[in-house]
Amino acid sequence: MTTTAPHSENEFHQPVSEETFARVWNDPTGIRGLLQGVQNQPIGIRLIGLSIFFLILGGIQALLMRTQLAVPNNTFLDPETYNRLMTMHGTTMMFLVAIPMIEGIGTLVLPQMMGSRELPFPRLAAFAFWTFLFGGLIFYFGFFVDAVPEGGWFAYVPMTGKEYSPGLGVDFYLLGLNVAETAAIAGAFELIISFFHMRAPGMSINRIPIFAWAIMVTGWMIIFAFTPLVVGSTLLELDRAIGTHFFNPDQNGDPLLWQHIFWIFGHPDVYIIFIPPLGIVATIVTVFSRRALIGYTFIVISLVSLGFLSFGLWVHHMFATGLPELALSFFTAASMMIAIPSGIQIFAFIITIWSGRPVFKTPFLFAIGFLLIFVLGGLSGVMLASVPVNLQTHDTYFVVAHFHYVLIGGWLFPIFAAIYYWFPKFIERMPNERLGVWNFLLLFIGFNVTFFPMHISGILGMPRRVYTYQAGVGLEPYNLLSTIGSFMVAASFVVFLINMIWSARNGQKAPANPWNADTLEWLPPTPVPPYGFREFPVVNSRNPLWEKAEEQVVEPGTRKLLDVLKHYPREYRAQIATSAIDARPLEVFRVAGPSIYPFWAALAIAVMTLFLVFSQYALAGVCLIITMFTLIGWHRDTGAYSKPDEEEAFEREYGVPLRPHGSRVIGRWGTILTIVTLATALGTLCFSYLYLRLKPPQWPPDGIAMPDPVLPGIALLVLLISVIPMRWAASALQRDERAGVQRGLLIGVVLGILYLVGNLLSYGQLGFNYQTQAFGSIFAIMAGYQLLTMLVIVVMGAAMLFWFVRATHERPSRHQAITDLVLFWYYAVAAGVVTYALLYIGPIVI
Amino acid sequence: MKLSRKRSRLLLLVLCVVLLAACQGESSILDPSGEGAMHIANLWWVMLIIAAVVYVQVISFLLLALFRRRNADGGGQLPDTGPPSKHARTFIVVNGIAIPIAILTFVFGFNLLTLVQLSPVNANAQLTIEVIGHRWWWEVRYPTHNIVTANEIYIPTDTQVELHLTSSDVIHSLWIPKLNGKTDLIPGQTNRMFLRTSEVGEYRGQCAELCGIQHARMQLFVVAQSPSDFEHWIEGQQQEAPAPADDMALRGQQIFLGAACVYCHTVRGTSASGVIGPDLTHLASRKTLGAGVVLNTPGNLAGWIIDSQSIKPGNLMPPIYLESDDLQALLTYLATLQ
């Protein structure tokens, strides 16, 4: 469309019609739109819908379980079916409901709440949706081949090892969930980067909505918690599939290692599930008390503290396993202490309500429900934190009561609040208020009737995960009550669904801001255009939509920039990146448009996973290669780029760079978060290595030869040297020295290949393999992980070199992705040092 | 204000009544008979009362906040974005930080005290018993007395008993609610657990870690006897199985030794020395079959032998086909294994 590239303000500021502007922002419609669409709004809604679908499945599983438990010695379900349903219920709720819902709401609401048009990586968001869907489907696929896991959502070994769970059920669980967990991590990247760099100008760090803070903290927690689980699940799958011994006590492995890894994930997981709802309640309390939130700073500090502290509690799930008492007491203290940041927020909400003038609409009712229910669950949690009390109540219905209070009170009630709250904005109609009140009442009462008696069943001696219980010890009335309550809860869901469907069709048309809310997502009109904001808003306070006219101050430079962005760029989707603390505009950059490749990539990974479950490794390998090719397609864009002199003119005129190849700031963040994820995985392996070291009296254990450090040591030296040419390449890039870049990359890649070859040769000389006790297994996986990391980076390096050499007409400094590669390279070198230290120096020193 | 106070008091009363009702029970942790369980129950009550008081306080604040009298609302009045009052800040700091720190410090201290009371350091074991978890039954060994039994642990009263716990297959957990907290049985390691009671009686225990299809029906009894009765029991258990006294029993023994039984079971005094299933030397003296699933009666025992799968589906004992005469003889023999 561009005949002459704009060079002056007049040319940039050529006004365009709504239609023209929207054209580049509209995703395709129909099936093509479904498969290729990347916009945050439909993706967010799809994730929420997916979560609700699985929520209903999980709920049906619960109803079946409760029916079986209504009376003792019931024969409604046989023990195998019960154990399967119990496993599916827990797994579905924790992995396929809670996380997609949070990421869905984040995807849908967060950009708009922060004054932004899109997420940083729209195609990654689409990929996350498809991956969640396929992960869930793979996990449920087991039903079709009678391979359903029975080991509980926590899958303790040895019961979930090959010997005691011989079918494929556990494999579907481990591999299917690994896929879903990858989706969660991908989503986390988006949400973190959005928070730091995609806010409206003026939304400085102390003006960011609490919901956004909560999502950001959660994003970090997802990276640090889900990655260990992916690693742990992989270790268990290897034990099952190829006979490694990580968890085999007969071969110096340890079943408790699984428990540690699982709960290092599992405890933060419940805070991942609970923290975004805290942000939702903060939002609801503010709007429906008609009072700006009191205690903003307290709440922010509490959220961040919760994020950190939650990683220090995991052993409270293992108090009965025989660990040393002193260690246990540390975890008691931490588990009790975490009540404080939670409590601070509760009291901040209460005082805000007190200082305000409450409006008792459905979203607010659910927020009140949260307060009433979650606090009770938190208190039973403090009781469980005590080791002596825990030893009586662990693995009983008391715990079942506790976590349903904190999860349903702390997650479900705020989620219903959120759905009712944001319904008018994104579904464009008002939800029915009377049905909403019925939804709330049935759920509140039904929930308490179901779960309060479980405290008592536990006290009376009823353990968890049992398909039936003893008659005549007093458990009958409480179980019957729980079953009755569960049907009330089901009824509340029916009311919810009716309300959603009816209101979407027949509800009153919603105005732009029906609740008179304060945050930016209510600023665009309803229906929300695909780009959200044509004119980026400027923020001057914590409650932007409650600002008085005289408070709205805009710097002239920013005003000029935001005005031109109403009309330009016209050929691709553009967004501003702002600085982390002050939210000053940093760049104008292109966000990705529609593409089918995220769908293909997700599908290829899903099919690969199915092949892995059925041990078809060759076919899985083929799928892996296909996945890598889809990644190439993914990075292509069909939009026309502007010319270099156009970009320079823009920067001169408006003071911020124009980046049609993608944001440098955000690209760098993506690289950093990927490195953090890889490092967390490595950290998990290091933890496992050191933990397994504790088992045998010597290391390597008796009968295993010490691995020879010389050849791998030389290979490591070669790798360390490769840092130098890579640095050359990076600095040559900034100086536009083509030859320097090419030489540096080439030498670096060659040295990398030498490192790989050296290590491969040394593995041939080892006196043990991956099946030689836990020692051999952990050695093999750590060596393999480093090899794989380096291989991928070397291949990336070679590919980038190839493209760089071919692109002779472009200035070298346009290939900024090469600096990202160099950063990955540095990580791989550091990882190589750590791996070498543990694998080769470790046996000598420890 | 009055209304919500009344409401909270009523709530508290209901809570107390309900909980007191929950106290009693054959396996209730709040009806302790053992030393460990008693210490824990005390701590429990302290924590429960504190938790209840805190809950009532928080809810009272909430209800007050929601329903306190406010000035008549001018509908078009803008939301309040003014700075919060000083009292608001104090409210958060006092209720969110100061009071919780005080309460939690107290609770943590009390918890440490109880932990010390329960600690193995303070225990001087007078009797050591080994418990090995199997899929879906408990192997019990008395190393000093050379006794092997299953699904029942006999202990003398007023004696510090130390249990050494491990597993032969997956993770189990031994829980006898009226006596003490639970401890896991983990393959590859030995955990320790202590029992001590002054009350003669039978105490129900159950597996408390998901261990497979029949996790729900893996129970046992701890039988506390006076020291003299316990000695008597020991002597009885130390005997080998007596030789069959009549023809029927003899025939039964021959059937036992000739059938598949000996692959899994041991009867000391005969050649049967299988170790996959429970030791049957004193089968007839046991209260239940199948780890607490059914009472040990001739009818149940017959059913168990012929088709234990219909009583405890998934358990590792296969059905044993026997002609009815043979079954009668076998039952007669098994009844001699007192």
Side-chain angles (χ1 to χ4, degrees), chain B:
Chain B
M1 191 135 161
K2 254 194 215 161
L3 188 62
S4 54
R5 279 277 155 81
K6 223 195 222 167
R7 221 185 266 169
S8 15
R9 271 208 208 105
L10 184 63
L11 227 90
L12 188 58
L13 188 64
V14 168
L15 195 69
C16 283
V17 168
V18 163
L19 281 166
L20 277 160
C23 265
Q24 314 307 320
E26 206 182 306
S27 315
S28 170
I29 71 176
L30 294 181
D31 190 10
S33 297
E35 191 178 279
M38 266 187 251
H39 291 308
I40 295 173
N42 291 337
L43 176 61
W44 162 276
W45 284 115
V46 168
M47 293 186 82
L48 178 67
I49 291 169
I50 294 175
V53 167
V54 169
Y55 187 69
V56 165
Q57 181 221 24
V58 174
I59 298 313
S60 305
F61 281 138
L62 175 63
L63 294 175
L64 275 165
L66 286 170
F67 298 117
R68 78 180 182 105
R69 277 222 212 100
R70 293 174 166 85
N71 295 327
D73 182 23
Q77 213 179 333
L78 282 175
D80 181 5
T81 53
S85 72
K86 225 179 15 182
H87 300 300
R89 214 163 188 270
T90 313
F91 178 83
I92 296 177
V93 171
V94 166
N95 287 291
I97 305 177
I99 294 180
I101 288 182
I103 295 179
L104 289 175
T105 309
F106 172 74
V107 166
F108 183 69
F110 207 96
N111 156 79
L112 277 182
L113 236 114
T114 309
L115 204 57
V116 166
Q117 284 167 332
L118 295 171
S119 170
V121 176
N122 292 335
N124 295 311
Q126 295 158 291
L127 170 65
T128 303
I129 303 173
E130 290 170 8
V131 180
I132 299 138
H134 293 263
R135 279 187 308 155
W136 312 297
W137 61 279
W138 309 86
E139 179 183 342
V140 182
R141 311 179 81 98
Y142 290 69
T144 39
H145 304 280
N146 247 315
I147 292 171
V148 180
T149 182
N151 303 323
E152 289 176 344
I153 303 177
Y154 277 70
I155 61 173
T157 51
D158 295 309
T159 311
Q160 186 70 263
V161 177
E162 180 172 327
L163 302 179
H164 287 179
L165 307 173
T166 189
S167 170
S168 70
D169 43 36
V170 300
I171 299 181
H172 303 271
S173 192
L174 179 57
W175 186 35
I176 306 126
K178 291 188 72 148
L179 295 185
N180 206 351
K182 62 185 67 70
T183 305
D184 288 351
L185 286 72
I186 302 173
Q189 72 185 63
T190 302
N191 286 340
R192 291 192 304 164
M193 183 174 154
F194 292 87
L195 297 178
R196 187 192 176 107
T197 179
S198 327
E199 296 172 28
V200 167
E202 273 178 13
Y203 303 103
R204 170 184 298 280
Q206 195 164 349
C207 178
E209 183 61 67
L210 179 68
C211 51
I213 197 170
Q214 284 296 347
H215 161 65
R217 293 214 197 265
M218 184 172 157
Q219 296 174 10
L220 57 57
F221 281 92
V222 173
V223 181
Q225 300 181 311
S226 68
S228 54
D229 284 345
F230 176 72
E231 283 306 317
H232 194 73
W233 178 80
I234 292 278
E235 280 163 20
Q237 290 286 317
Q238 283 173 327
Q239 313 289 338
E240 289 183 345
D246 58 65
D247 288 338
M248 189 74 143
L250 184 61
R251 183 158 154 241
Q253 186 189 55
Q254 286 164 345
I255 290 166
F256 180 83
L257 295 174
C261 320
V262 298
Y263 293 125
C264 298
H265 293 288
T266 296
V267 176
R268 275 176 292 123
T270 71
S271 58
S273 54
V275 292
I276 297 173
D279 184 302
L280 299 181
T281 313
H282 300 283
L283 173 65
S285 68
R286 290 198 202 134
K287 179 170 161 165
T288 64
L289 296 173
V293 178
V294 289
L295 289 173
N296 186 0
T297 63
N300 286 334
L301 182 54
W304 183 267
I305 294 168
I306 297 292
D307 183 18
S308 66
Q309 293 299 318
S310 59
I311 301 176
K312 190 171 176 180
N315 92 80
L316 296 177
M317 175 159 163
I320 308 283
Y321 179 74
L322 288 172
E323 299 284 345
S324 53
D325 289 348
D326 289 346
L327 181 59
Q328 282 298 341
L330 180 58
L331 288 174
T332 310
Y333 171 64
L334 292 174
T336 69
L337 300 177
Q338 285 292 341

Side-chain angles (χ1 to χ4, degrees), chain A residues 25-51 100-101 103-112 117-119 122 125-130 425-428 528-532 573 593-594:
Chain A
W25 278 94
N26 282 326
D27 269 348
T29 50
I31 301 282
R32 276 184 68 216
L34 185 67
L35 297 177
Q36 294 181 20
V38 296
Q39 270 203 11
N40 71 303
Q41 204 173 311
I43 303 259
I45 293 187
R46 276 188 237 162
L47 278 167
I48 294 170
L50 186 69
S51 162
M101 176 66 82
E103 296 207 337
I105 296 179
T107 302
L108 178 63
V109 171
L110 195 70
Q112 220 162 293
R117 288 176 183 164
E118 247 301 349
L119 287 171
F127 173 78
F129 167 72
W130 292 115
K425 195 70 197 166
F426 297 105
I427 314 292
E428 300 156 29
V528 180
Y531 44 80
R573 303 176 178 188

Side-chain angles (χ1 to χ4, degrees), chain A residues 373-505:
Chain A
I373 295 176
F374 173 78
V375 171
L376 198 149
L379 290 167
S380 66
V382 172
M383 294 177 77
L384 285 166
S386 150
V387 172
V389 170
N390 188 287
L391 290 179
Q392 283 283 38
T393 50
H394 167 63
D395 251 317
T396 69
Y397 264 76
F398 187 85
V399 178
V400 178
H402 158 72
F403 67 69
H404 281 94
Y405 267 81
V406 289
L407 286 175
I408 295 186
W411 182 87
L412 185 63
F413 273 78
I415 292 296
F416 273 145
I419 292 176
Y420 278 94
Y421 178 63
W422 279 304
F423 193 93
K425 195 70 197 166
F426 297 105
I427 314 292
E428 300 156 29
R429 291 178 186 267
M430 297 302 291
N432 183 295
E433 191 58 32
R434 184 174 321 155
L435 284 175
V437 172
W438 272 104
N439 184 178
F440 168 75
L441 282 174
L442 278 171
L443 183 63
F444 185 83
I445 296 171
F447 168 81
N448 280 295
V449 172
T450 310
F451 291 101
F452 193 83
M454 290 187 186
H455 291 105
I456 302 173
S457 315
I459 293 169
L460 287 177
M462 183 171 176
R464 284 175 76 171
R465 301 157 181 158
V466 290
Y467 72 92
T468 191
Y469 50 94
Q470 195 72 19
V473 294
L475 295 171
E476 289 89 330
Y478 305 105
N479 274 284
L480 189 57
L481 261 178
S482 291
T483 301
I484 293 170
S486 67
F487 281 92
M488 264 182 96
V489 171
S492 82
F493 269 85
V494 170
V495 171
F496 170 71
L497 288 171
I498 292 175
N499 196 356
M500 293 294 106
I501 297 171
W502 186 90
S503 301
R505 293 219 186 122

Side-chain angles (χ1 to χ4, degrees), chain A residues 392-660:
Chain A
Q392 283 283 38
T393 50
H394 167 63
D395 251 317
T396 69
Y397 264 76
F398 187 85
V399 178
V400 178
H402 158 72
F403 67 69
H404 281 94
Y405 267 81
V406 289
L407 286 175
I408 295 186
W411 182 87
L412 185 63
F413 273 78
I415 292 296
F416 273 145
I419 292 176
Y420 278 94
Y421 178 63
W422 279 304
F423 193 93
K425 195 70 197 166
F426 297 105
I427 314 292
E428 300 156 29
R429 291 178 186 267
M430 297 302 291
N432 183 295
E433 191 58 32
R434 184 174 321 155
L435 284 175
V437 172
W438 272 104
N439 184 178
F440 168 75
L441 282 174
L442 278 171
L443 183 63
F444 185 83
I445 296 171
F447 168 81
N448 280 295
V449 172
T450 310
F451 291 101
F452 193 83
M454 290 187 186
H455 291 105
I456 302 173
S457 315
I459 293 169
L460 287 177
M462 183 171 176
R464 284 175 76 171
R465 301 157 181 158
V466 290
Y467 72 92
T468 191
Y469 50 94
Q470 195 72 19
V473 294
L475 295 171
E476 289 89 330
Y478 305 105
N479 274 284
L480 189 57
L481 261 178
S482 291
T483 301
I484 293 170
S486 67
F487 281 92
M488 264 182 96
V489 171
S492 82
F493 269 85
V494 170
V495 171
F496 170 71
L497 288 171
I498 292 175
N499 196 356
M500 293 294 106
I501 297 171
W502 186 90
S503 301
R505 293 219 186 122
N506 306 318
Q508 220 185 347
K509 278 229 163 23
N513 190 357
W515 312 117
N516 194 17
D518 61 316
T519 42
L520 288 175
E521 78 273 20
W522 299 94
L523 182 60
T526 302
V528 180
Y531 44 80
F533 300 97
R534 180 119 184 228
E535 178 176 343
F536 287 103
V538 173
V539 163
N540 293 98
S541 74
R542 282 178 196 158
N543 313 98
L545 267 55
W546 290 351
E547 283 169 18
K548 306 185 183 50
E550 58 271 19
E551 288 174 334
Q552 287 166 356
V553 171
V554 187
E555 216 191 40
T558 308
R559 172 87 280 143
K560 189 174 158 188
L561 174 67
L562 299 185
D563 278 343
V564 75
L565 290 174
K566 289 193 288 194
H567 307 288
Y568 177 89
R570 297 180 264 279
E571 278 138 45
Y572 52 87
R573 303 176 178 188
Q575 168 64 38
I576 26 169
T578 49
S579 66
I581 307 286
D582 298 321
R584 275 175 304 104
L586 286 179
E587 296 173 328
V588 173
F589 68 96
R590 175 183 61 81
V591 288
S595 164
I596 189 102
Y597 288 99
F599 172 78
W600 287 133
L603 187 61
I605 290 175
V607 174
M608 176 183 83
T609 306
L610 273 175
F611 283 138
L612 284 175
V613 171
F614 289 105
S615 302
Q616 302 297 323
Y617 297 119
L619 288 169
V622 168
C623 283
L624 185 62
I625 295 174
I626 294 177
T627 308
M628 295 205 248
F629 276 105
T630 63
L631 294 180
I632 298 174
W634 179 320
H635 284 94
R636 287 187 187 289
D637 204 81
T638 50
Y641 296 127
S642 41
K643 307 286 182 296
D645 39 354
E646 181 181 339
E647 293 165 36
E648 277 165 21
F650 186 93
E651 182 160 3
R652 263 199 315 270
E653 191 67 48
Y654 297 103
V656 291
L658 180 67
R659 301 228 192 270

